[in-house]
């Protein structure tokens, strides 16, 4: 990819994130990372623990801001926004599938899916209609009135995905969405994510599983905050790992 195009929903340009900058405990979580994702594309990010994968998702979704470079979501640069404005943009444009699901135990499946829309000021009746449609999309609409404890792990994951897809979400971020599932349930979840991307969303997936990464159009591999390999014409102008690091992972984890 030679540069940003008008159709890109997410653009990260030389994005870096340093924790505790200027102190002895300074940590470079991500270094000079560049990536553009358009609607209809699913990109997988892989790497060992501590490589910067979650940092990519946090920056892409506005949960954090870069200490260097720029992140542009749906035409808006996130670095210059207040916490409140980033949260409003995230509710409108971003669906996040958390590794630990974060379903509210006291709410039913449909109420969990309705929650982000209601927080964004959408009328309850409209939020419920949208939530039921999202549950239908992931094939669990018949479980709408059950509480999380009454659902299997795979069913809970589908509800979490429905919550990420509800309303006008254009970017779906998924952090190890199949980590707690068996192989069959995991493949079903990936099928749902792939279908949503094919329907027009942009997707960014963090995974350790090469089989699940195979559902993506492109794969980027990280180590120690650096890009150490890509599949597809994915990254332009990226920071590269020091000499020797790439060789350590060549042909390794996908």
């Amino acid at each position: 990819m030679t540069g940003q195009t008008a159709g890109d929903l997410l653009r990260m340009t030389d994005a870096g994130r340093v924790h505790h900058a200027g102190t002895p405990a300074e940590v470079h979580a991500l270094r000079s990372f560049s990536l553009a994702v358009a609607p209809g594309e699913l990109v997988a990010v892989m790497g060992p623990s501590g490589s910067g994968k979650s940092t990519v998702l946090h920056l892409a979704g506005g949960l954090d801001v870069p200490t260097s470079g720029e992140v542009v979501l749906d035409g808006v640069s996130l670095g210059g926004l207040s916490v409140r404005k980033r949260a409003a943009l995230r509710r409108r444009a971003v669906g996040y599938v958390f590794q630990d699901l974060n379903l509210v135990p006291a709410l039913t499946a449909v109420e969990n899916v309705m929650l982000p829309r209601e927080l964004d000021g959408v009328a309850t009746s409209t939020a419920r209609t949208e939530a039921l449609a999202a549950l239908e999309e992931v094939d669990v609409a018949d479980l709408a009135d059950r509480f999380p404890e009454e659902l299997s792990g795979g069913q809970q994951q589908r509800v979490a995905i429905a919550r990420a897809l509800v309303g006008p979400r254009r970017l779906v971020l998924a952090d190890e969405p199949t980590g707690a599932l068996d192989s069959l349930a995991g493949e079903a979840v990936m099928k749902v994510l792939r279908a949503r991307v094919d329907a027009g969303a942009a997707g960014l997936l963090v995974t350790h599983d090469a089989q699940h990464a195979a559902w993506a159009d492109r794969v980027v591999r990280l180590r120690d905050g650096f890009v150490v390999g890509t599949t597809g014409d994915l990254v332009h102008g990226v920071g590269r790992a020091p000499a020797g690091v790439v060789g350590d992972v060549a042909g390794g984890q996908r």
Side-chain angles (χ1 to χ4, degrees):
M1 185 175 296
T2 57
Q4 174 75 358
T5 68
D8 292 331
L9 183 67
L10 172 68
R11 184 186 75 225
M12 304 175 72
T13 305
D14 293 329
R17 179 64 190 170
V18 179
H19 299 296
H20 311 296
T23 72
E26 180 176 281
V27 175
H28 289 262
L30 193 68
R31 302 172 187 257
S32 195
F33 182 85
S34 295
L35 167 69
V37 188
E41 293 183 315
L42 177 61
V43 176
V45 181
M46 304 191 73
S49 297
S51 62
K53 303 187 303 298
S54 292
T55 300
V56 170
L57 288 191
H58 291 167
L59 295 181
L63 291 172
D64 206 348
V65 292
T67 49
S68 60
E70 184 180 41
V71 177
V72 176
L73 172 62
D74 206 11
V76 179
S77 180
L78 300 183
L81 298 182
S82 66
V83 172
R84 181 180 61 82
K85 289 184 177 180
R86 276 191 283 119
L89 177 60
R90 187 165 58 249
R91 286 195 303 269
R92 173 177 61 82
V94 181
Y96 209 122
V97 183
F98 296 92
Q99 185 173 359
D100 56 2
L101 305 186
N102 286 350
L103 296 178
V104 180
L107 299 181
T108 63
V110 69
E111 289 169 342
N112 266 282
V113 178
M114 290 168 60
L115 186 59
R117 299 296 288 146
E118 291 183 306
L119 291 175
D120 208 26
V122 173
T124 298
S125 59
T126 300
R128 184 176 178 85
T129 298
E130 292 179 343
L132 289 172
L135 289 169
E136 181 67 35
E137 186 175 353
V138 298
D139 200 28
V140 289
D142 57 324
L143 305 176
D145 294 322
R146 295 190 186 182
F147 291 92
E149 66 177 12
E150 299 174 314
L151 304 175
S152 69
Q155 290 167 341
Q156 290 183 35
Q157 190 65 282
R158 286 172 182 256
V159 172
I161 292 173
R163 184 181 56 190
L165 304 182
V166 69
R169 308 293 183 82
R170 301 189 63 205
L171 175 66
V172 179
L173 306 176
D175 188 1
E176 296 284 1
T178 63
L181 304 178
D182 61 38
S183 59
L184 288 178
E187 287 297 303
V189 164
M190 289 307 306
K191 185 176 181 179
V192 169
L193 288 175
R194 182 71 248 185
R196 185 65 182 88
V197 168
D198 290 342
L204 195 57
L205 164 72
V206 161
T207 182
H208 283 94
D209 193 315
Q211 287 186 322
H212 295 154
W215 287 83
D217 301 294
R218 305 169 185 175
V219 180
V220 58
R221 299 174 180 84
L222 296 176
R223 186 162 189 171
D224 297 329
F226 288 99
V227 173
V228 295
T230 64
T231 299
D233 187 17
L234 174 65
V235 179
H236 55 92
V238 298
R240 291 293 175 182
V245 174
V246 174
D248 291 341
V249 297
Q253 182 186 25
R254 183 174 174 196

